Structures are given as structure tokens and as C-alpha cells.
Amino acid sequence: MTMQPTDSNGAAISMMVDDVSVVYRVNTEAKLSMGALIKSGFSGRSPDKIQAVKKVSLSIHEGESLGIVGNNGSGKSTLLRVMAGLLPPTVGQVYANSEPMLLGVAAALRPGLSGRRNIEVGLLALAIHPDRVEGLIEEVADFADIGRAINRPLGTYSSGMRARVHFAIATTVRPRILMIDEALGVGDKHFKSKSYARIDELREHAGTIVFVSHSNAEIERVCNRVIWLNEGVILADGPTKEVLDEYAAS
Amino acid sequence: MTKTNDQMPSGLQPLHAMPPLRKYVDQLWQRRTYAIRMPLRELRARNMNNVLGLSWFLLNPMLLVAVYYTFFGLIIGTDRGVDNFLTFLASGVFTYSFLQRTMTSASRTVVTNVGLIRAIRFPRALLPITETVEQSLAHIPVVAVLFLVALLTGEPVRLSWVLMMPLVMLQASFALGVGFILARITTNFRDLQNFMPFGFRLVFYMSGVLYSIDAFVADVTIRRLFFLNPFFDNIKLVRFAILGGEFPAWAALGTVISAVVMLPVGFTIFRRGEPYGRA
Ligand SMILES: Nc1ncnc2c1ncn2[C@@H]1O[C@H](COP(=O)(O)OP(=O)(O)O)[C@@H](O)[C@H]1O
Ligand SMILES: [Mg+2]
């Protein structure tokens, strides 16, 4: 028996972010002086560090839908990738009660393969049992609803079409924890309402949603809790309306 | 409701922890269909893109053999001491090319699959493995061409030709092991990719692809040193399988040892480099 951590109102904790910091090491162009050039070992670059996320801790519960707002470069995408288990933090740990799924403005998985084949290999990489893959391909293709384009190479898709395929793959496998990084914005009106319905359905089944968006309307539609991230630090954490107002006033 | 196979129990589990070996291998095994189906899809898609399509996998080594045969066989005369130089050359070039191409492309997989790595969690060893499966599948028609070359140059059909199947598997295992190591180094040291062609060139000359060691190296001790090179051993054994002759016991030993040792060693080194996909 494993213990189920719960909070005061009874919902189980689905994810715990424990003191997470992320430091990127980057090479910036060195000044074009002889001294700088020699110092950089004639590589013409100088190493630099960017602290994108600073000591972030938080808990999210099942059925909760957390929004993250903040200016460009405030560390939202970085934090999301760490929470999804895709980017190892420099310090800290993330605990989850099921495999999270990240939906980003992703690059084409395999640009040379058709949409249908990308769905197939995507599902297989997610360790979906091969017996179920055939049926799921159809379900994903139906939901993405991009017609005959499903048989064209993914590299030829518009960003909206690609987003539809990604969203369809990521949600058809019904993840218990779904993270969305500005990925709804590119869909058209019809697809957006379908996407909201999918998100609601996941949440009703005790799923957890973490949602990054620059649209207040989207955040209000989806989230019941919001954190405001600024320069990698949580400035506010609370009910959607309150935090959005606070952020707007800044 | 569908769930992924490796969902965790209800308790909280750390996401950024290296899974124990057993679990890592389980996670790979759950994705074995990916390692088979992905190469089939890729090879087919590539077939649609080029004018000559998949035949490049055949044309490339055949053109190489034609070039080498002209310069080394006909002009310089490295065919000394070899009865059927064309088949001798084709065995060497095809085998060497397979090894080099598999190692090189496996070593790049962590870099070339960033899209997948940034989107989905899975044991990254799946990528070099899948690439090796793809290269091995593409090598099958090359082996068929080798049989054809042998027949056309007057070789009889030999029972030892069936050895090609296990030999290619041993070669794939050796190449994957080396590919794992090169992939790990590449993630920390991109420049390796620029050094690799020179390394492979050196190995190429030390592997007796273009000439017979027996005819060109007089010193027995030096000749024995060649057996320490697994590329040489693999090529020597393929030549035995195709052309017959005395069984090269040392080459067979080198081939088996390099395959059986390099795969687990390479895998371990690669796994220690997890998690990949850092900023
Ligand atoms: N791959 C990367 N390498 C280096 N620095 C990065 C990388 N990704 C993001 N950063 C830096 O980290 C900071 C936070 O970026 P990001 O998480 O993308 O913010 P947001 O999503 O809130 O716009 C920025 O200063 C950005 O320049
Ligand atoms: Mg972002």
C-alpha cells in the first residue's frame, strides 16, 4: 500500500514540484577584441548562465486546472518542461502520480513521415500496446480532422494542422496529467471548442491540467487556479480571477 | 480509457530519477514495436522522396566497389594474391560500409531526434537501437547483391552463405555498441562528429578492405596484430563465408567477442549519460 497524499479538502496530490531551479548554460558571442578572443580560446564565445527558474515549489491536486501567466522569458515553458519530466532541473525534483504529457508548440516529430505514420510511431513511442495502436490511429485522425492531409508528410503541414495532430495524439491517450504550452492559440474556432470539451472531459476524470497561455479568456475558460511567474519566481498563487487582476495591474 | 503501459502506481514518484536497469530495459521492451515499425515507415518514406529512392542503399556501395576496382585492382594492382578480387573487394566494402554507416547514424540519433526527445518521455536508447534496425534492414538487399556478384564472378553457391544472416546480426550488435558510445560523447562534445570521418578513414586502411593482408604484410607478428581490429575480423569472416577457404578462427573469435562485449558496454555507457535532451 502506498500512501496517498491529500490536502485538506480531500483531493489527492497529483504533482509536487520541490524546490526546482533551472540554470541554462549558453555561449554568448564574445567581443571582437584580441583580449576577449584569447580569453575564449579563439572560439569567439564566452560562457554565460541564465537562471530561468528559481526555487519553485508547488503542489497540484487531481481535478485541478492550473494556469501559468507571466511575461515572455519569465520561465513558463522551462518550468513546464521540467514538470513534464522532459528537462532535468539543475536543482530540485518533481513528483507525480502518473506520467505527464506535454503539449507544446512542438516541432514536427518526423517531418518526412505522413501525419498518420507520425501518429502511429508517436503512440508506439508512448508505449501504447501495438494491439490498440491501429484503433487509436483512427481515433486520433478523426479528432484531428484534417481530411486527406493526414496522408501527406508532416513537414508540409501548416502550424495549425500540426497543432491539431499533436493535440489529438496527446489527449487521445487520456493522460492523467496534461500540460499545454500555448498550443491552443493556433487552432481555429471549431477546433478550439472541441479542444476545450476534451480538456473538460480529462479534468472531470480526476485529471490535472497545467496551462500556459497569453490569452486571459483561455485561462479563465480552463483554469480554477493561476500562478504568476516573473523572472523564474512565483509572485502570486491563487484563484484565477484574483491572480489575473493582480498580473494585469502590474 | 486508455493508459500508457508504464503508468505509475497511485503514489507519487520522482520524474527526474534514473530508472533502475531492470525498469529501463522493461521500458525499452514495451517499445519494441516502435523499433521495428519506425524503420519500415522511414525506409518507405525515403523511397518516395528520391528519384532513385531506396536503390541508393544499393547503388552507393556498388559505385564504391566499381571505383576501387578500377583504381586498386586494375591500375595499382592490389589484387595480388587474391583469386576473385571483385568479390573479395565487394565483401570488404559492403561490410565496412555497413559498420561505418550504422555507427555514424546511430551516434547522431540523439541530436537528430530532438523533436521526439522534447515531446515524449521514453528511454533514449530506443533511438540508436531503432537506427541500427533501420540500417540492418537496408543492408539486406546489399547482401543479396553480394551473392549476385559472387555468382557472376564464377563462385559456386556455398553452404557457408547462410552464415551471412548471423554475421550481419553480430555486425549490427558491434556497430550499435560503438554507436551508443559515440552518441554519448557527441552530446557533450559535438565536434566529435567532425573527427569521426578521419577516424573511420584510418580504420578503413587498417582493415584490409582493398588488399589482402596475407599478400602485403610479410611479418607474421604484424599480421596477427590485424586480428585485434574487429572491423578486420568481421570482413575476414564475411570473405570466408562468401569465398570459402580456410576457416579464420581468430577472426571468428574477434567478431563474436566484439559483438558480445561492445553491445552491453556501449549500452551501459549510453545509459549513464541519461537524461539526454538538456538545454
Ligand atoms: N534552450 C535554452 N537555452 C538557453 N536559454 C534558454 C533556453 N530556453 C529558454 N531559455 C532562457 O530561459 C528564460 C526563460 O525562458 P522560457 O522558459 O522560454 O520563458 P517563457 O516560456 O515564460 O517565455 C529566458 O531568458 C530564455 O532566454
Ligand atoms: Mg514559452
Side-chain angles (χ1 to χ4, degrees):
Chain A
M1 244 329 265
T2 31
M3 240 201 20
Q4 274 258 19
T6 57
D7 78 335
S8 46
N9 49 35
I13 290 179
S14 53
M15 178 171 279
M16 229 173 83
V17 179
D18 183 20
D19 195 32
V20 160
S21 296
V22 177
V23 177
Y24 287 112
R25 278 162 208 289
V26 288
N27 291 317
T28 49
E29 243 175 69
K31 269 189 307 204
L32 270 181
S33 71
M34 206 53 209
L37 208 57
I38 290 170
K39 231 169 90 185
S40 70
F42 292 97
S43 62
R45 58 186 193 206
S46 65
D48 203 356
K49 289 179 181 178
I50 298 173
Q51 177 140 30
V53 175
K54 294 172 195 157
K55 293 177 164 290
V56 165
S57 294
L58 68 130
S59 300
I60 317 170
H61 303 91
E62 287 182 350
E64 199 165 45
S65 182
L66 175 76
I68 305 181
V69 295
N71 298 341
N72 293 130
S74 56
K76 305 182 295 294
S77 299
T78 303
L79 179 60
L80 220 57
R81 288 180 58 212
V82 173
M83 288 166 74
L86 292 166
L87 175 71
T90 316
V91 181
Q93 183 60 276
V94 177
Y95 302 89
N97 68 358
S98 95
E99 276 288 313
M101 174 84 75
L102 174 67
L103 189 57
V105 260
L109 297 178
R110 278 276 177 168
L113 295 186
S114 70
R116 183 183 298 277
R117 291 306 161 215
N118 266 281
I119 297 172
E120 179 183 29
V121 296
L123 290 171
L124 290 171
L126 285 167
I128 303 293
H129 196 280
D131 291 346
R132 284 210 310 264
V133 164
E134 215 47 53
L136 279 178
I137 293 175
E138 293 316 313
E139 202 186 323
V140 173
D142 276 353
F143 190 87
D145 193 23
I146 53 169
R148 301 225 314 271
I150 200 76
N151 294 317
R152 293 209 307 258
L154 197 72
T156 66
Y157 285 20
S158 73
S159 56
M161 289 157 77
R162 214 150 50 213
R164 288 168 89 120
V165 172
H166 276 282
F167 186 89
I169 297 176
T171 58
T172 301
V173 299
R174 303 293 195 278
R176 301 278 309 281
I177 303 175
L178 177 65
M179 322 198 135
I180 303 173
D181 189 0
E182 299 189 50
L184 288 195
V186 274
D188 56 33
K189 219 188 250 172
H190 176 66
F191 191 71
K192 249 187 201 172
S193 65
K194 258 170 71 169
S195 305
Y196 285 138
R198 229 332 128 79
I199 292 172
D200 289 342
E201 179 197 328
L202 290 178
R203 204 170 38 153
E204 273 155 26
H205 288 91
T208 303
I209 313 286
V210 184
F211 191 76
V212 172
S213 168
H214 281 291
S215 150
N216 277 7
E218 280 183 15
I219 298 255
E220 278 169 12
R221 169 73 181 73
V222 173
C223 308
N224 54 14
R225 174 184 165 196
V226 171
I227 61 172
W228 170 15
L229 208 59
N230 190 47
E231 293 183 4
V233 177
I234 296 182
L235 279 195
D237 179 351
T240 303
K241 190 90 182 66
E242 284 172 25
V243 178
L244 284 185
D245 286 347
E246 212 176 321
Y247 177 51
S250 70
Chain B
M1 290 286 254
T2 38
K3 278 200 258 169
T4 50
N5 284 347
D6 48 357
Q7 286 225 332
M8 292 173 264
S10 55
L12 293 173
Q13 305 264 344
L15 289 182
H16 301 283
M18 161 95 119
L21 178 63
R22 188 56 208 284
K23 183 149 182 238
Y24 193 90
V25 174
D26 275 354
Q27 288 173 349
L28 279 174
W29 182 243
Q30 283 165 2
R31 290 161 175 84
R32 63 194 177 278
T33 315
Y34 174 94
I36 308 290
R37 228 176 268 180
M38 177 71 154
L40 292 173
R41 305 304 185 216
E42 273 287 332
L43 289 172
R44 182 151 169 247
R46 211 168 302 163
N47 202 6
M48 294 192 301
N49 282 338
N50 285 342
V51 179
L52 293 178
L54 267 186
S55 52
W56 273 114
F57 278 103
L58 291 175
L59 240 67
N60 191 308
M62 280 161 72
L63 290 173
L64 270 181
V65 168
V67 170
Y68 289 138
Y69 185 72
T70 310
F71 281 88
F72 291 92
L74 301 180
I75 300 178
I76 300 183
T78 58
D79 57 347
R80 182 144 49 94
V82 182
D83 291 335
N84 183 347
F85 188 65
L86 192 59
T87 305
F88 174 90
L89 195 60
S91 312
V93 171
F94 292 176
T95 305
Y96 177 84
S97 299
F98 171 58
L99 290 172
Q100 168 170 1
R101 210 176 30 228
T102 305
M103 289 173 186
T104 306
S105 53
S107 77
R108 290 197 189 121
T109 49
V110 178
V111 178
T112 52
N113 284 287
V114 280
L116 207 57
I117 286 180
R118 292 206 176 136
I120 299 177
R121 269 159 61 86
F122 62 92
R124 309 311 188 193
L126 186 64
L127 297 172
I129 292 173
T130 304
E131 185 62 39
T132 302
V133 172
E134 184 171 331
Q135 294 295 341
S136 304
L137 290 175
H139 190 57
I140 292 173
V142 176
V143 173
V145 168
L146 182 55
F147 290 150
L148 200 66
V149 171
L151 288 174
L152 291 177
T153 53
E155 296 295 327
V157 176
R158 289 194 167 84
L159 189 60
S160 56
W161 284 11
V162 300
L163 280 177
M164 282 307 287
M165 173 88 164
L167 287 189
V168 169
M169 287 167 78
L170 289 170
Q171 288 158 19
S173 158
F174 167 57
L176 174 58
V178 174
F180 271 139
I181 297 171
L182 296 176
R184 161 101 189 253
I185 301 173
T186 299
T187 58
N188 297 319
F189 183 63
R190 245 353 127 79
D191 309 30
L192 176 69
Q193 292 291 330
N194 297 319
F195 286 118
M196 268 162 46
F198 299 104
F200 277 117
R201 210 41 4 194
L202 189 65
V203 172
F204 180 79
Y205 293 129
M206 295 194 311
S207 303
V209 179
L210 302 175
Y211 56 94
S212 161
I213 301 289
D214 296 334
F216 278 82
V217 181
D219 192 315
V220 183
T221 326
I222 294 181
R223 237 190 283 165
R224 284 203 182 120
L225 285 178
F226 274 87
F227 284 97
L228 293 175
N229 170 8
F231 286 76
F232 174 82
D233 295 332
N234 275 289
I235 290 169
K236 182 118 186 145
L237 202 52
V238 167
R239 283 177 178 153
F240 162 77
I242 300 293
L243 291 164
E246 199 185 325
F247 178 67
W250 286 109
L253 192 66
T255 296
V256 171
I257 289 180
S258 62
V260 172
V261 171
M262 281 318 287
L263 186 57
V265 167
F267 177 77
T268 307
I269 289 176
F270 182 86
R271 194 176 78 99
R272 293 253 167 89
E274 291 263 24
Y276 294 98
R278 264 177 269 252

